[in-house]
Coordinates of all heavy atoms in Angstrom, one line a residue:
A1 N 6.2 48.5 25.2 CA 6.2 50.0 25.1 C 6.6 50.4 23.7 O 6.0 51.3 23.1 CB 7.0 50.6 26.1
A2 N 7.7 49.8 23.2 CA 8.1 50.2 21.8 C 7.1 49.8 20.8 O 6.8 50.6 19.9 CB 9.5 49.5 21.6
D3 N 6.5 48.6 20.9 CA 5.5 48.2 20.0 C 4.3 49.1 20.0 O 3.6 49.3 19.0 CB 5.1 46.8 20.3 CG 6.2 45.8 19.9 OD1 7.1 46.1 19.2 OD2 6.1 44.6 20.4
A4 N 4.0 49.7 21.2 CA 2.8 50.6 21.3 C 3.1 52.0 20.8 O 2.3 52.9 20.8 CB 2.4 50.6 22.8
G5 N 4.4 52.3 20.4 CA 4.7 53.6 19.8 C 5.5 54.5 20.7 O 5.8 55.6 20.3
F6 N 5.9 54.1 21.9 CA 6.7 54.9 22.8 C 8.1 54.9 22.3 O 8.7 53.9 22.0 CB 6.6 54.4 24.2 CG 5.3 54.7 24.9 CD1 4.3 53.8 25.0 CD2 5.1 56.0 25.5 CE1 3.1 54.1 25.6 CE2 3.9 56.3 26.1 CZ 2.9 55.3 26.2
A7 N 8.8 56.1 22.5 CA 10.2 56.2 22.2 C 11.0 56.3 23.4 O 12.3 56.3 23.4 CB 10.4 57.4 21.3
A8 N 10.3 56.4 24.6 CA 11.1 56.6 25.9 C 10.3 55.9 27.0 O 9.1 55.7 26.9 CB 11.2 58.1 26.2
V9 N 11.0 55.6 28.1 CA 10.4 55.0 29.2 C 11.0 55.6 30.5 O 12.1 56.2 30.5 CB 10.7 53.4 29.2 CG1 10.0 52.8 28.0 CG2 12.2 53.1 29.3
E10 N 10.3 55.4 31.6 CA 10.7 55.6 32.9 C 10.2 54.6 33.8 O 9.3 53.8 33.4 CB 10.3 57.0 33.4 CG 8.8 57.2 33.4 CD 8.3 58.6 33.9 OE1 8.9 59.5 33.5 OE2 7.3 58.6 34.6
Y11 N 10.6 54.5 35.1 CA 10.0 53.6 36.0 C 10.4 54.0 37.4 O 11.2 54.9 37.6 CB 10.3 52.1 35.7 CG 11.7 51.8 35.2 CD1 12.8 51.9 36.1 CD2 12.0 51.5 33.9 CE1 14.1 51.7 35.7 CE2 13.3 51.3 33.5 CZ 14.3 51.3 34.4 OH 15.6 51.1 34.0
L12 N 9.9 53.3 38.4 CA 10.2 53.6 39.8 C 11.6 53.2 40.1 O 12.5 54.0 40.4 CB 9.2 53.0 40.7 CG 7.7 53.5 40.6 CD1 6.8 52.9 41.6 CD2 7.6 55.0 40.6
F13 N 11.8 51.9 40.1 CA 13.1 51.3 40.6 C 13.6 50.3 39.7 O 12.9 49.3 39.3 CB 12.9 50.8 42.0 CG 12.1 51.7 43.0 CD1 10.9 51.3 43.4 CD2 12.7 52.8 43.4 CE1 10.2 52.2 44.2 CE2 12.0 53.7 44.2 CZ 10.7 53.4 44.7
P14 N 14.9 50.3 39.4 CA 15.5 49.3 38.5 C 16.3 48.2 39.2 O 17.0 47.4 38.5 CB 16.5 50.2 37.7 CG 17.0 51.2 38.6 CD 15.8 51.5 39.6
Y15 N 16.3 48.2 40.5 CA 17.4 47.5 41.3 C 17.2 46.0 41.3 O 18.1 45.3 41.8 CB 17.5 48.1 42.6 CG 17.7 49.6 42.5 CD1 16.6 50.5 42.9 CD2 18.8 50.2 42.0 CE1 16.7 51.9 42.8 CE2 18.9 51.6 41.8 CZ 17.9 52.4 42.2 OH 18.0 53.8 42.0
D16 N 16.1 45.5 40.8 CA 16.0 44.0 40.7 C 16.7 43.4 39.5 O 16.8 42.2 39.3 CB 14.5 43.6 40.7 CG 13.8 43.8 42.0 OD1 14.5 43.8 43.0 OD2 12.6 43.9 42.0
H17 N 17.3 44.3 38.7 CA 17.9 43.9 37.4 C 19.3 44.6 37.2 O 19.4 45.7 37.6 CB 17.0 44.2 36.2 CG 15.6 43.6 36.4 ND1 15.3 42.3 36.2 CD2 14.5 44.2 36.7 CE1 14.1 42.1 36.4 NE2 13.5 43.2 36.7
A18 N 20.2 43.9 36.6 CA 21.5 44.4 36.4 C 21.5 45.6 35.4 O 20.7 45.5 34.5 CB 22.5 43.3 35.9
P19 N 22.3 46.6 35.7 CA 22.2 47.8 34.8 C 22.5 47.4 33.3 O 21.8 47.9 32.4 CB 23.4 48.7 35.3 CG 23.5 48.3 36.7 CD 23.2 46.8 36.8
D20 N 23.4 46.5 33.1 CA 23.8 46.2 31.7 C 22.6 45.5 31.0 O 22.4 45.6 29.8 CB 25.0 45.3 31.6 CG 26.3 46.0 32.0 OD1 26.2 47.3 32.0 OD2 27.3 45.4 32.3
L21 N 21.8 44.7 31.8 CA 20.7 44.0 31.2 C 19.6 45.0 30.8 O 19.0 44.9 29.7 CB 20.1 43.0 32.2 CG 18.8 42.3 31.8 CD1 19.1 41.4 30.6 CD2 18.4 41.4 33.0
L22 N 19.4 46.0 31.6 CA 18.4 47.1 31.3 C 18.9 47.9 30.1 O 18.1 48.2 29.2 CB 18.2 48.0 32.5 CG 17.6 47.3 33.7 CD1 17.5 48.3 34.9 CD2 16.2 46.7 33.4
A23 N 20.2 48.2 30.1 CA 20.7 48.9 28.9 C 20.5 48.1 27.6 O 20.2 48.7 26.6 CB 22.2 49.2 29.2
A24 N 20.7 46.8 27.7 CA 20.5 46.0 26.5 C 19.1 46.0 26.0 O 18.8 46.1 24.8 CB 21.0 44.6 26.8
R25 N 18.1 46.0 26.9 CA 16.7 46.1 26.5 C 16.4 47.4 25.9 O 15.7 47.5 24.9 CB 15.8 45.9 27.8 CG 15.9 44.5 28.4 CD 15.2 43.5 27.6 NE 15.5 42.1 28.1 CZ 14.6 41.1 28.1 NH1 13.4 41.3 27.6 NH2 15.0 39.9 28.5
L26 N 16.9 48.5 26.4 CA 16.7 49.8 25.9 C 17.3 49.9 24.4 O 16.6 50.3 23.5 CB 17.4 50.9 26.7 CG 16.8 51.1 28.1 CD1 17.7 51.9 29.0 CD2 15.4 51.9 28.0
A27 N 18.5 49.4 24.3 CA 19.1 49.4 23.0 C 18.4 48.6 22.0 O 18.2 49.0 20.8 CB 20.6 49.0 23.1
R28 N 18.0 47.4 22.4 CA 17.3 46.4 21.5 C 16.0 47.0 20.9 O 15.7 46.8 19.7 CB 17.0 45.1 22.2 CG 16.3 44.1 21.4 CD 15.9 42.9 22.2 NE 17.0 42.3 23.0 CZ 16.9 41.4 23.9 NH1 15.6 40.9 24.1 NH2 17.9 41.0 24.6
H29 N 15.3 47.8 21.7 CA 14.0 48.3 21.3 C 14.1 49.8 21.0 O 13.0 50.4 20.7 CB 13.0 48.0 22.4 CG 12.9 46.6 22.7 ND1 12.4 45.7 21.8 CD2 13.3 45.9 23.8 CE1 12.4 44.5 22.3 NE2 13.0 44.5 23.5
G30 N 15.3 50.4 20.9 CA 15.4 51.8 20.5 C 14.7 52.8 21.4 O 14.2 53.8 21.0

């Protein structure tokens, strides 16, 4: 998504992944 030019994301459900892992992905890709 970041490579395609998006600055923000949303999704249905995050619960298959730890919150800190998702936070790290968000931070890594701005």
Side-chain angles (χ1 to χ4, degrees):
D3 290 345
F6 285 97
V9 297
E10 61 180 38
Y11 39 73
L12 297 183
F13 311 113
Y15 307 109
D16 289 337
H17 305 283
D20 291 346
L21 177 59
L22 297 175
R25 295 283 169 147
L26 292 164
R28 182 186 307 172
H29 301 293

